[in-house]
Structure formats: structure tokens, C-alpha cells
Amino acid sequence: MITLDIISDPICPWCYIGKTRLDRAIAEAGHNPFTPRWRMFRLNPDMPAEGMDRRQYLEAKFGGAEGADRVYGAIADAAKGDGLDVDLDAIRRTPQTLDAHRLIRWAGEAGAGEPVVMDLFDRYFRRGEDISDHDLLLQVAADAGMERDVVARLLEGDADRAALEEEERAAREMGVTGVPCFIIQGKYVVQGAQDSATWRRVIDELTEAMGTGATAPEPVSPES
């Protein structure tokens, strides 16, 4: 299997769209060559713990109401085109995602990274839920088969905060400025929410290289 580091944030719509496109390519290929490892990158590392009003956040980030509507209108169209049932208007607050990332890390160690990440995407983008809320995170953990009491104790303390902050710092030093960013086998970068056809070519090239024992070429250049 090929290690695929997925640098993302569960409140990033393009991360949700990009993962959906990757999953579609894997389904079309009929096999999954990847072992995913989810890596932290916060769009808003300085967000206060309580988060902030969603509309206020978007207008500040995109230069007012018109800019926010334009950007998120395009995102809604892209999500719909990829078959995602999102309700962006249901999102009332933009959360701080450090604790969500801590849960993702523990889920990965428990073999439940994929269901936890996809549940967080679904809860945020389809239901508008606050994914910084500890009760919600505990429910996500339990639904994925994790030990609720263990996760509760971890969330109450500072477990893995420093490690994740260091992981994020390393990604930024490596040149990651936006997500999603996919790193294949620690060498090749697929930047952005590439379409399924691009991912299918990557999978085919990697599968061929694995079969011949050759070194896979760099599969794709960053998205413009």
C-alpha cells in the first residue's frame, strides 16, 4: 500500500469536495492503493476557542457580503456538481478545529480515521453542527466504534495538542499554504481539489509502477 498524507481541515469545503472526488476515482479504479494518514492544517489557527459568527467571519475574510456570496456560491455549485448534499446556510458559527483534529488523530490510531473525518464533514457541511463541541465529538467517536470514556478524558486535557501544532508548523514550513494537500509516499504532491479523472490517472500510474517495480513519476502538478 502507498501512504497518502491528507493535509486538511474539517471546515474546509474544498477538502470535503476533494476527498469526494478521490473516493470516486478509487471506486472507478476498483481498488484502493492508498493508506491514508490525516494531517492537521487549520484554516484559522488564531480562531478563539468559542469560534465566531459565520457571516461575520466570511465577510471579513472575503471583503464583504458580496465577496462572501460569490465565493460560497461557487463552492455550493461545485459541491452540487459532485453530488454532495450540503447546506452552507445552516452553518451559524465558524469553529476552532483543534479538538476536532485531536479526535481525527486518535481515530487514525484506532483505525477509524476515515469514518470520523467523513462524519465531521457531514455534520458541518450538511447539518451545520458545531464540530468544536465536545459532546458532538464524543458522539462522533462513539459512532465510529471508539471508546467514548477514553476520548472524553483525552479531550479534557491537552493530549496531542503540542504534537499537532508541530505537525501544522512543519506543513507550513514545507510550503503548504492551503488545503487540501495530498502527499503520496512522502514525495509527490497533489494540491487542491483535483477532479476524479486526474486522480484516476494518478492511481493508474501508481498501480503500473507498483506492478513493474519502477519508481512512480510525479503524478500531477499543483492545481492552478
Side-chain angles (χ1 to χ4, degrees), residues 44-219:
N44 312 290
D46 298 323
M47 179 69 66
E50 67 275 13
M52 66 182 295
D53 177 81
R54 176 71 170 173
R55 192 69 197 179
Q56 180 184 353
Y57 162 75
L58 291 178
E59 291 183 8
K61 183 170 184 176
F62 298 113
E66 184 177 341
D69 290 342
R70 181 179 64 254
V71 170
Y72 266 75
I75 289 170
D77 289 344
K80 182 178 180 180
D82 280 285
L84 292 174
D85 179 20
V86 300
D87 185 357
L88 301 178
D89 291 335
I91 304 171
R92 299 303 180 188
R93 297 192 67 76
T94 298
Q96 165 61 258
T97 56
L98 178 58
D99 285 341
H101 281 289
R102 292 205 292 158
L103 176 60
I104 291 168
R105 182 183 182 92
W106 304 327
E109 293 169 352
E114 195 84 354
V116 162
V117 171
M118 298 312 292
D119 195 6
L120 290 172
F121 279 143
D122 181 79
R123 287 174 179 272
Y124 187 68
F125 289 108
R126 191 170 69 84
R127 306 183 216 175
E129 295 180 349
D130 180 1
I131 62 170
S132 68
D133 181 78
H134 281 194
D135 287 339
L136 180 147
L137 293 176
L138 290 174
Q139 187 59 54
V140 170
D143 288 347
M146 300 174 68
E147 293 289 339
R148 186 186 182 104
D149 291 344
V150 173
V151 175
R153 288 196 297 272
L154 290 170
L155 283 172
E156 287 172 1
D158 291 329
D160 286 323
R161 287 177 185 257
L164 282 167
E165 287 168 351
E166 172 60 23
E167 181 176 283
E168 182 177 48
R169 183 195 63 77
R172 293 183 187 276
E173 287 189 353
M174 189 173 64
V176 177
T177 58
V179 287
C181 180
F182 304 85
I183 303 177
I184 300 170
Q185 206 70 356
K187 298 178 181 179
Y188 311 113
V189 176
V190 178
Q191 181 68 51
Q194 298 287 343
D195 59 31
S196 296
T198 297
W199 272 114
R200 183 63 190 274
R201 290 195 299 272
V202 170
I203 292 169
D204 289 346
E205 288 183 18
L206 290 170
T207 301
E208 182 179 356
M210 290 168 63
T212 62
T215 300
E218 186 167 350

